Amino acid sequence: MGEVLEISCVIKNKDCIINLYEYMKHIPDNENLSEKIEIMDNWQYENIVELDLFDIGVIKEYAENKIILIREEISDGSKGLDIEAISKHCYHVEIWYNQRNEYYDEIKKNLLELICKNRIEDICLIAVGNETLFKFDEDFLEMDKKSHDIDAWIISENFFRCKNITTYHEYDIQKRKIDKSVIYILSLRKRNSI
């Protein structure tokens, strides 16, 4: 297996989980062999309950106070979606992907297309990289210090409470590419003009 591609999303609206789940299901279009859904109390895997199938109503209900792990075996690897509440009305949804034939650039491009087609205000920020350590903090500079192996930060302009970040590139939606170690501020005004 190659390195695991990890896409950490911070969302404010649980309804966005279904979009990220559908995205995970189709990266890349591959034969899905099996899906396993587990709900647990904490990262010590206490009180694990397994679901028979994906039900967005059940997922949204448990997202408030449980950790949800969705793992899918594919013909030449595995992929998944992990959901955990950060605080009330704020959720960390991590899409991960591990395949022998890596399509990482294509996956990143498709993610940006998904963001542009959907309501960007529901996705506060995205951190993309291989084998990452993502530590959420409302102060971006602190979050950047605590997190490791992030290739790109993709951030909605309404994420920032403090406006002390002066070095960034506004993402050009038409280019549809991610440059390594770059912060992109996604402007709602720009998105609405598409």
Side-chain angles (χ1 to χ4, degrees):
M1 293 289 173
E3 286 184 305
V4 178
L5 172 67
E6 295 171 310
I7 302 166
S8 290
C9 304
V10 175
I11 62 173
K12 296 284 189 180
N13 184 346
K14 286 187 286 187
D15 291 332
C16 192
I17 291 171
I18 191 69
N19 293 331
L20 296 172
Y21 173 77
E22 289 298 326
Y23 170 72
M24 181 274 296
K25 294 289 283 182
H26 294 99
I27 57 164
D29 283 332
N30 203 331
E31 182 184 1
N32 298 328
L33 302 177
S34 67
E35 180 177 81
K36 183 177 184 179
I37 303 171
E38 295 178 315
I39 298 173
M40 59 191 188
D41 288 347
N42 52 46
W43 287 109
Q44 282 73 46
Y45 296 87
E46 292 178 334
N47 299 319
I48 294 178
V49 174
E50 197 165 321
L51 296 182
D52 293 331
L53 54 93
F54 182 87
D55 178 329
I56 189 59
V58 172
I59 299 296
K60 285 166 57 175
E61 178 185 335
Y62 283 109
E64 289 298 325
N65 55 15
K66 302 279 187 181
I67 297 169
I68 303 163
L69 306 177
I70 302 169
R71 179 184 174 93
E72 203 164 273
E73 296 300 322
I74 55 179
S75 57
D76 57 353
S78 58
K79 59 186 176 178
L81 183 82
D82 301 341
I83 304 162
E84 180 179 19
I86 295 171
S87 62
K88 189 173 175 123
H89 307 299
C90 189
Y91 310 91
H92 175 213
V93 179
E94 181 176 271
I95 300 165
W96 57 270
Y97 179 76
N98 190 7
Q99 187 179 23
R100 282 184 271 285
N101 299 318
E102 293 130 357
Y103 298 96
Y104 295 157
D105 290 338
E106 179 184 337
I107 291 169
K108 291 175 187 179
K109 179 181 96 68
N110 291 342
L111 175 66
L112 291 174
E113 289 172 357
L114 173 80
I115 293 165
C116 294
K117 289 177 189 170
N118 290 282
R119 294 174 54 211
I120 188 61
E121 58 266 26
D122 288 344
I123 303 176
C124 297
L125 71 89
I126 298 171
V128 181
N130 295 341
E131 305 287 340
T132 64
L133 172 63
F134 174 77
K135 294 285 189 183
F136 179 78
D137 196 297
E138 289 192 2
D139 180 325
F140 175 78
L141 297 176
E142 282 301 310
M143 182 169 52
D144 190 44
K145 279 186 217 171
K146 295 176 190 174
S147 301
H148 300 288
D149 297 317
I150 306 295
D151 292 338
W153 293 99
I154 305 165
I155 304 169
S156 168
E157 64 186 0
N158 19 347
F159 168 75
F160 293 107
R161 299 218 170 146
C162 64
K163 302 291 182 191
N164 62 352
I165 295 179
T166 55
T167 310
Y168 69 87
H169 300 274
E170 188 160 334
Y171 177 67
D172 181 347
I173 290 169
Q174 300 309 313
K175 288 184 182 173
R176 296 197 190 289
K177 71 175 188 175
I178 297 176
D179 297 322
K180 196 170 178 76
S181 301
V182 172
I183 301 167
Y184 294 106
I185 309 299
L186 296 182
S187 167
L188 292 174
R189 290 182 303 279
K190 190 161 203 167
R191 181 195 163 273
N192 291 335
S193 66
I194 295 177

